[in-house]
Amino acid sequence: MYAKGLIRRLCFSIHFLSMIFVALLVTSSSAARATSANENGKKAIDAVNDTVTYDFIVSHLHQAIHILEENLQHARSLHYSLGEGRTLSQLGLAYYFLGKHERSTECYLQAFEIFETLGEYYELASAYGEFGYQLKRRDISKALHYMRLALALVEQHRLDLGLRSKLYDNYGVLQEMQGKYDSASYFYHRALAIKQQRRDLYGIPYSLNKLAGLAALQDRFDEAFSYLRHSDEYRQKEKNNLGRVENYLLWGDIYTQKGAIDSG
């Protein structure tokens, strides 16, 4: 009797352990599927943020906002903070172009908080810079504040040179708007030096044109034309005509400033 009872208890224990093992397998499989689905969801969110670029936003504004708003809800449903922050930053840009400045500011401020919490300094500096540059005609003091925050981050954390050159260019514009031409020239030259270091064949003429325009504002027309001729050398190598058209227009503007309209 004792042996039979022991056998029954052993069989029961084995059966019970088998059930637990099966349950653990099912749970583990479900968890793996959930993790995989979560990772795929994050990749989908990242893909949207990478696809809805500046050019797409400008050319498909309402469609971009719709896509980004859906992406924002998706990111929040997955508690994917980085994806949420990047989407908010993109929405800030889109709503700015739509003229909804309050909504744009709301998106940027939420993005700042997320990036700061995550320690995502590249994203934070980029968003600070974008927001600051957008404020230049509405509130120059705040524009300078956010641009300086962006510059402090890129220099403190030695962030991407491409972002740094963009910020130097844009901060130069703010200095130029205030009539601080020496400061504007300093930042335009810093941007140009980075682009030359990186052999940025599209970015170099952009900075040269900034320097040409700045020289013309100070009636230094020979210097302005020298910068513009140098810019033309790069424009001639570009595959499309957009840069060359921009240069033709700038030549006309500078000749007009000089009072030589016929030459323009």
Side-chain angles (χ1 to χ4, degrees), residues 56-77:
F56 184 88
I57 290 172
V58 171
S59 58
H60 303 83
L61 184 55
H62 292 280
Q63 183 183 354
I65 289 173
H66 176 73
I67 292 169
L68 289 169
E69 286 286 6
E70 286 192 343
N71 207 46
L72 179 62
Q73 297 308 314
H74 189 194
R76 285 174 172 169
S77 72

Side-chain angles (χ1 to χ4, degrees), residues 221 254-262:
F221 293 107
I254 293 177
Y255 272 120
T256 299
Q257 286 177 254
K258 187 179 180 182
I261 298 176
D262 291 340

Side-chain angles (χ1 to χ4, degrees), residues 216-217 219-222 224-225 250-264:
L217 281 176
D219 296 332
R220 303 204 306 258
F221 293 107
D222 288 343
F225 292 139
L250 187 54
W251 275 103
D253 288 343
I254 293 177
Y255 272 120
T256 299
Q257 286 177 254
K258 187 179 180 182
I261 298 176
D262 291 340
S263 297

